[in-house]
Amino acid sequence: MSTSVRKYYIKKFKIKVLIYLVSLTSIDMFAQNPLNIPPVLTGSSFNLKIQSGSQNFYSGKNTPTLGINSVWMAPTIIVYKGDSVTLNVKNTLNIKTTMHWHGLHVAAFNDDGPHQIIQPSATWSPSFKIRNNAATYWYHPHGAGQTDPQVSKGLSGFLIVKDSQEAALNLPRTYGIDDIPLNIQSKAFDDLQQIAIATESDTAIFINGTLHAYFNSPAQVIRFRLLNGSSLRTYNLGLSNGQKFYQIATDGGMLDSSIVLTRLILSPGERAEILINFAGLSGQTIYLKSYASELPKGIYGANQIGMGKDTIAEYGTNFLNGSDFNLMELRIVAQTTNPITTVPTALIPFIPLNKNFVTNSRTIEFDTIRLLQNDLPNLSEGPFAMNKRSFDMDSINEVIYLNTTEIWTLVNNTLVAHPFHIHDVQFNIIKKNGMEPSSSEKGWKDVVLVMPKDSVKFITRFEDFANNKVPYMYHCHLLHHEDDGMMGSFLVIDTARLTSIKNIQKSTMKIEAFPNPSNNIWTIDGSAPNKIILVEVFNILGKSIFSLSPSQQSNKISFNISNEELPCGMYFLKLTSLTTSQTIHLIKI
Ligand code: C2O
Ligand code: CU
């Protein structure tokens, strides 16, 4: 072997070692895989087949994966506001799953929280009308305790809604060319290169399921539909050349005007649409980065969470935490024909919800369960609870009346930031720690990051889909927090459809039940001659909870409902006298 050839081999070997070391110790700085652009499904009937298989992310190692209509990741569903659609979700796995349309305003039984399970080999076919405004939504499983494993292994797809207002704007909208979905996910791998969950070692960055992605971006205005589809990590997005970009949409709609930014914080579950103008940059390479060194502490991804004993073990060992790193390489190439070259300022007029119509407010507090149990409280480590309860499939945490506008206050008593998500509705943030929200958070939202020891107030309206039995969910979108029970449920009920107390008083039984709703005591007053001899209490699923037979002569029966065993929600009380029986509805709050 000549010296130069030997040198070449040594050099090549050194580079190999270097690449090996780099990929072992940090995110590979060399983007090498073309960005996957998920295939598109359009129309009114969609077939989604959930499958399992494997991928070779790391040479020679097989990683088991999940996918929809493929074995890894999921197609992009494009729908139009006003369309009626049917989604046939077929589960070919040998485990149960669910499929949730994150951000869509659909009936609870179509929304697929943990209550609508798709058994192995079953097909679930919800049909509904698209009522949402044009924006970027997504779909992913929501199974009890199984969201993180199933999403991390690949079940995560875009759902893009279009409408006529958005279509009237001069925006890039050629999918895959100048309108690009980016599902940003950090993943952890164990020693056998299996995707690991609930660990602090999520060091591999995937975009649309592509590890080390690059994208050939034409030198013009490009629209990126950003989704933070990660289980835990928040990104502080920016461009390596310091260039400005423009936010045009939030989770649930277009903004009223584009916002000029150099950084955008996106927490798990959040979406944002941005425009970047690459005109004149042909031939250059730019990186989309997360400037995590600038993230406020307490956010998963910042350099610090908690302090002293209130920290997460292992957190500091993840080199991504608190450092600036590349998410994707952008190779700027020649313009397409008919490029969009300007960024519009005015977008779609935004009409916020009216505070004068607020009829109720409620508070959701975040705590650690250990603190509640006085057991080694660590304010950074879960499991976490909402309003002192862990998620329970059979109980209802909040009952909301149809056609009402409410203000919710989220209070975070822990030392870690939690992205709060609510199903069914979009909301407007009114206050963050007592201050106005930033312009990026002024549009329609369905996820909001609640900082440690901070609070967020939002206004929202519940105007469709009353159902006395099937609840919607609200939860933390850090997936293993959700899986560990940091989730609650709510019913939207139509009071007009309930038997009102007034009607009951007019009935032959002369029954009064009060107070309703109550969190403490219910008193039933059934006057003679129809003295009540039996009170049976059923939950919303029709399961008998307890019954009482008053023995004394009094017509009043009182019972305490404050005990923990009786979850908040709606109950049916069947009241029986010697001659008749009647059922009334009461609500525990
Ligand atoms: Cu994206 Cu309840 O979830
Ligand atoms: Cu959380």
Side-chain angles (χ1 to χ4, degrees):
M1 201 184 274
S2 77
T3 2
S4 66
V5 170
R6 194 178 305 130
K7 258 189 197 154
Y8 168 76
Y9 274 105
I10 289 171
K11 201 172 158 205
K12 210 176 160 193
F13 177 70
K14 272 189 184 161
I15 288 173
K16 265 195 176 165
V17 168
L18 186 70
I19 290 175
Y20 182 67
L21 285 176
V22 165
S23 62
L24 266 187
T25 57
S26 73
I27 276 293
D28 196 332
M29 290 303 145
F30 314 110
Q32 35 195 223
N33 302 309
L35 176 72
N36 170 45
I37 302 290
V40 169
L41 299 179
T42 55
S44 56
S45 176
F46 298 89
N47 294 326
L48 303 172
K49 191 171 153 200
I50 304 175
Q51 300 169 241
S52 60
S54 66
Q55 294 286 294
N56 276 296
F57 300 121
Y58 297 98
S59 54
K61 303 276 186 176
N62 241 5
T63 300
T65 56
L66 300 175
I68 294 174
N69 301 352
S70 75
V71 297
W72 176 233
M73 303 304 287
T76 296
I77 297 172
I78 300 185
V79 292
Y80 292 82
K81 185 176 182 177
D83 277 5
S84 290
V85 300
T86 301
L87 299 123
N88 305 304
V89 189
K90 182 169 174 52
N91 179 10
T92 75
L93 310 179
N94 54 16
I95 50 167
K96 295 176 198 172
T97 187
T98 56
M99 198 54 70
H100 167 59
W101 323 107
H102 179 129
L104 288 199
H105 179 46
V106 297
F109 53 82
N110 284 328
D111 183 61
D112 212 2
H115 294 79
Q116 291 85 35
I117 287 170
I118 316 172
Q119 296 290 347
S121 78
T123 300
W124 177 63
S125 298
S127 286
F128 49 81
K129 189 169 150 188
I130 304 295
R131 295 162 188 254
N132 287 70
N133 292 326
T136 303
Y137 304 88
W138 63 307
Y139 61 105
H140 63 78
H142 216 293
Q146 288 299 308
T147 301
D148 196 2
Q150 297 189 359
V151 172
S152 296
K153 285 187 184 141
L155 300 182
S156 175
F158 282 95
L159 209 158
I160 295 174
V161 177
K162 303 201 164 192
D163 67 15
S164 55
Q165 279 189 302
E166 185 273 342
L169 297 169
N170 187 31
L171 291 172
R173 57 174 70 80
T174 310
Y175 182 83
I177 304 294
D178 64 4
D179 183 348
I180 313 296
L182 299 179
N183 180 355
I184 309 169
Q185 295 180 303
S186 64
K187 294 184 192 293
F189 286 84
D190 65 17
D191 295 343
L192 299 169
Q193 307 299 359
Q194 317 272 297
I195 293 170
I197 57 141
T199 86
E200 312 302 331
S201 55
D202 57 324
T203 54
I205 301 291
F206 284 78
I207 314 276
N208 299 345
T210 305
L211 185 63
H212 308 165
Y214 74 83
F215 174 65
N216 288 334
S217 191
Q220 61 203 53
V221 176
I222 306 291
R223 176 188 203 163
F224 291 102
R225 297 173 183 267
L226 307 169
L227 157 65
N228 183 345
S230 301
S231 301
L232 288 169
R233 185 168 297 279
T234 289
Y235 305 98
N236 185 25
L237 302 163
L239 293 162
S240 59
N241 61 350
Q243 177 173 356
K244 294 187 172 67
F245 53 93
Y246 305 85
Q247 187 177 0
I248 57 168
T250 51
D251 297 335
M254 308 290 295
L255 290 160
D256 60 355
S257 55
S258 50
I259 301 167
V260 187
L261 297 170
T262 52
R263 294 285 186 269
L264 176 62
I265 294 180
L266 208 64
S267 68
E270 284 189 297
R271 287 89 64 213
E273 291 180 29
I274 61 168
L275 300 179
I276 308 178
N277 191 352
F278 295 118
L281 299 178
S282 187
Q284 296 198 17
T285 297
I286 298 165
Y287 292 91
L288 174 67
K289 295 179 70 108
S290 178
Y291 290 90
S293 64
E294 301 162 12
L295 279 177
K297 77 174 183 198
I299 296 179
Y300 191 96
N303 69 347
Q304 197 187 336
I305 285 188
M307 334 173 247
K309 65 168 184 38
D310 291 325
T311 51
I312 305 176
E314 307 292 303
Y315 183 81
T317 63
N318 187 324
F319 58 86
L320 291 185
N321 295 335
S323 67
D324 300 341
F325 55 90
N326 293 342
L327 296 169
M328 188 175 74
E329 185 175 303
L330 296 156
R331 300 178 184 172
I332 314 303
V333 298
Q335 278 192 350
T336 60
T337 47
N338 303 318
I340 303 284
T341 51
T342 54
V343 172
T345 313
L347 298 166
I348 294 177
F350 171 72
I351 305 155
L353 290 168
N354 190 334
K355 287 181 201 128
N356 297 329
F357 297 149
V358 171
T359 50
N360 191 31
S361 44
R362 53 189 93 219
T363 301
I364 310 283
E365 292 200 39
F366 310 164
D367 282 296
T368 78
I369 288 178
R370 292 201 227 172
L371 179 70
L372 301 173
Q373 295 169 341
N374 277 326
D375 166 30
L376 289 174
N378 175 336
L379 297 180
S380 300
E381 208 163 61
F384 298 99
M386 286 179 170
N387 283 353
K388 308 197 179 349
R389 284 169 189 272
S390 255
F391 177 65
D392 170 8
M393 284 286 280
D394 298 323
S395 66
I396 301 296
N397 298 85
E398 305 289 326
V399 175
I400 295 163
Y401 297 126
L402 183 68
N403 286 320
T404 55
T405 304
E406 296 203 353
I407 286 183
W408 287 35
T409 305
L410 311 171
V411 179
N412 184 357
N413 298 323
T414 77
L415 287 177
V416 54
H418 302 274
F420 177 90
H421 169 53
I422 183 168
H423 293 199
D424 179 29
V425 292
Q426 295 286 327
F427 54 78
N428 306 149
I429 300 170
I430 317 175
K431 288 265 150 69
K432 266 200 142 181
N433 219 15
M435 318 257 281
E436 285 271 296
S438 69
S439 26
S440 285
E441 291 192 310
K442 276 192 180 144
W444 293 104
K445 295 285 294 166
D446 57 52
V447 178
V448 59
L449 187 63
V450 189
M451 293 296 291
K453 302 283 179 188
D454 202 348
S455 71
V456 167
K457 254 185 210 310
F458 67 72
I459 181 171
T460 190
R461 186 165 164 77
F462 301 87
E463 54 187 7
D464 298 291
F465 310 125
N467 189 313
N468 293 344
K469 290 196 174 68
V470 188
Y472 290 104
M473 301 295 124
Y474 56 84
H475 57 91
C476 174
H477 222 293
L478 300 186
L479 297 183
H480 87 85
H481 292 186
E482 175 196 327
D483 284 344
D484 285 350
M486 195 178 181
M487 174 154 73
S489 59
F490 65 98
L491 280 180
V492 177
I493 61 167
D494 184 353
T495 46
R497 276 200 241 143
L498 299 183
T499 320
S500 75
I501 307 271
K502 249 205 229 127
N503 289 339
I504 294 170
Q505 281 172 327
K506 272 190 250 145
S507 82
T508 52
M509 286 189 78
K510 285 195 79 183
I511 299 158
E512 277 185 71
F514 52 87
N516 186 29
S518 167
N519 60 6
N520 189 14
I521 302 275
W522 278 332
T523 299
I524 312 291
D525 187 351
S527 303
N530 295 302
K531 190 175 120 47
I532 296 161
I533 56 165
L534 181 66
V535 178
E536 293 164 278
V537 181
F538 300 89
N539 71 10
I540 50 154
L541 304 170
K543 190 171 139 206
S544 170
I545 307 291
F546 61 86
S547 55
L548 295 170
S549 324
S551 57
Q552 77 286 58
Q553 285 310 301
S554 160
N555 290 319
K556 283 203 176 134
I557 304 156
S558 290
F559 47 99
N560 194 320
I561 54 162
S562 65
N563 102 50
E564 287 274 311
E565 310 287 86
L566 206 61
C568 300
M570 190 169 67
Y571 290 87
F572 302 102
L573 271 65
K574 188 175 174 202
L575 311 169
T576 306
S577 73
L578 283 174
T579 53
T580 181
S581 75
Q582 186 159 357
T583 302
I584 61 169
H585 305 73
L586 290 180
I587 289 160
K588 176 176 174 183
I589 49 172

